[in-house]
Amino acid sequence: MRSALIIASILFITIGSYGQSPFRALIKNSESGEPLPGATATIKALGIGGIANEDGIVKIDQVPLGEHTIEFCFVGFQSRTVKINFPVDTAKPYEVLLVGDKEELEEVVIT
């Protein structure tokens, strides 16, 4: 009985992780090529995402196989939406270039 429970547990863990892929992206400024720490990547349909580290790398674990739309955002930059078919090559991160938003905000005066 105990060995059957152990085998069932192993199968459950294996099946739960089957059909999922990790995703890494390097988010950079399109003009300077500098990484954008704090930028976000979101798969809205799945309700999952991540925030870029100090090197501009964002990681999303356990993305189900198939085509997913990922939105990349950063304050002061235009968001970018990309369709990616999973699984992806995990040898190097997917590179995303964000374009600076040319729209200027109005001046705010506090008195």
Side-chain angles (χ1 to χ4, degrees):
M1 179 67 180
R2 181 177 239 184
S3 62
L5 184 59
I6 292 172
I7 291 172
S9 297
I10 292 171
L11 287 175
F12 179 73
I13 291 169
T14 304
I15 291 171
S17 65
Y18 179 75
Q20 298 180 342
S21 174
F23 176 71
R24 290 186 319 137
L26 171 58
I27 306 173
K28 297 173 21 175
N29 181 328
S30 66
E31 294 178 18
S32 68
E34 293 291 317
L36 297 174
T40 61
T42 309
I43 304 175
K44 290 183 180 180
L46 300 175
I48 59 175
I51 300 173
N53 65 15
E54 63 275 355
D55 299 320
I57 301 284
V58 63
K59 297 177 185 177
I60 304 175
D61 292 323
Q62 300 181 349
V63 179
L65 301 183
E67 185 176 80
H68 298 288
T69 302
I70 303 177
E71 182 178 37
F72 299 93
C73 301
F74 190 67
V75 176
F77 288 79
Q78 297 174 9
S79 63
R80 181 170 176 200
T81 303
V82 178
K83 286 188 178 186
I84 299 176
N85 194 21
F86 289 85
V88 294
D89 180 16
T90 57
K92 64 178 187 171
Y94 185 88
E95 188 171 301
V96 178
L97 300 175
L98 295 183
V99 177
D101 196 355
K102 302 295 182 197
E103 185 177 317
E104 290 187 27
L105 300 176
E106 292 184 27
E107 182 177 331
V108 176
V109 178
I110 300 174
T111 58

